[in-house]
Amino acid sequence: MEDKKVQQPTFLQIVRHPVTYALVVVVSVFWTVLYYVTDRESSQNDKMLEMQDRLYKQMIEEVRQQVTPAVNKVNEAATKVDSAAVKVDSVAQQQKRRGGKR
């Protein structure tokens, strides 16, 4: 058997080979698609966050509109109860004074 020295291909031979071109094209397309998919996803996330923000603000405003009248009614009722308590206390003080004089 003869030992033949196997010659390694040169860099230029590798670069000029059709498989190398195909590999470069496939990798380039992959990275381009990956970039556009991730970029589109981040813009979709931004849009989703904006929509959620608007929805939350709208919900908060609706709750405020519904709660404010109820709070006002409670405040009015509390004021009436407070003034009634003051009147009852005043009457009780008068009754004590009258009872003490007899």
Side-chain angles (χ1 to χ4, degrees):
M1 287 204 188
E2 273 183 40
D3 287 328
K4 288 187 178 180
K5 189 173 182 183
V6 178
Q7 190 177 13
Q8 294 290 331
T10 64
F11 180 74
L12 272 176
Q13 287 174 330
I14 294 172
V15 169
R16 289 183 180 165
H17 198 278
V19 173
T20 305
Y21 283 121
L23 185 61
V24 168
V25 168
V26 167
V27 170
S28 298
V29 168
F30 171 77
W31 282 113
T32 304
V33 168
L34 184 66
Y35 171 76
Y36 282 115
V37 166
T38 56
D39 186 49
R40 186 173 144 207
E41 183 178 313
S42 70
S43 67
Q44 290 291 338
N45 286 341
D46 292 343
K47 288 178 185 176
M48 185 69 92
L49 288 174
E50 288 175 17
M51 288 173 53
Q52 285 179 344
D53 185 47
R54 279 186 272 142
L55 177 65
Y56 290 147
K57 286 180 181 178
Q58 183 180 2
M59 289 169 59
I60 290 170
E61 189 58 36
E62 287 180 16
V63 168
R64 282 185 183 152
Q65 289 175 357
Q66 293 174 3
V67 168
T68 302
V71 169
N72 291 340
K73 287 180 182 179
V74 168
N75 285 338
E76 289 175 19
T79 303
K80 289 178 183 177
V81 167
D82 199 31
S83 61
V86 168
K87 288 179 184 177
V88 167
D89 191 42
S90 154
V91 169
Q93 291 296 329
Q94 288 177 359
Q95 292 296 326
K96 280 185 183 177
R97 288 186 198 138
R98 286 184 187 171
K101 290 182 181 177
R102 288 186 183 178

